Amino acid sequence: MLFATIFLVCFVVLGGVVMYLSQTIDHGEARFDADGKVIKDEEPKRDGPVEPARRIEKDVRDDT
């Protein structure tokens, strides 16, 4: 019984450490240039106003 209690406590503590580290460490892929500097992703540029999507079943002639 003592072994099961110790195992359960260690499991909960390990889960807490994993959750803490997952919140504090940055995730993702880092890209570097030839000098070893991190390459930042640029924001995508918008081409113009956005149109709402249309259903495929809807006929274009019905859209007035």
Side-chain angles (χ1 to χ4, degrees):
M1 180 67 180
L2 181 63
F3 176 74
T5 305
I6 292 171
F7 180 77
L8 183 61
V9 168
C10 290
F11 187 74
V12 170
V13 169
L14 182 63
V17 170
V18 168
M19 292 299 292
Y20 172 75
L21 290 177
S22 70
Q23 296 296 322
T24 57
I25 296 176
D26 290 332
H27 291 75
E29 177 184 339
R31 297 183 300 147
F32 301 95
D33 62 5
D35 297 329
K37 296 180 182 177
V38 177
I39 299 173
K40 299 281 185 181
D41 290 332
E42 296 179 7
E43 291 291 323
K45 296 181 181 179
R46 303 289 181 198
D47 293 334
V50 179
E51 288 185 19
R54 295 185 199 166
R55 289 196 175 271
I56 295 175
E57 300 91 24
K58 193 172 187 178
D59 192 5
V60 176
R61 289 175 272 152
D62 292 341
D63 188 27
T64 54

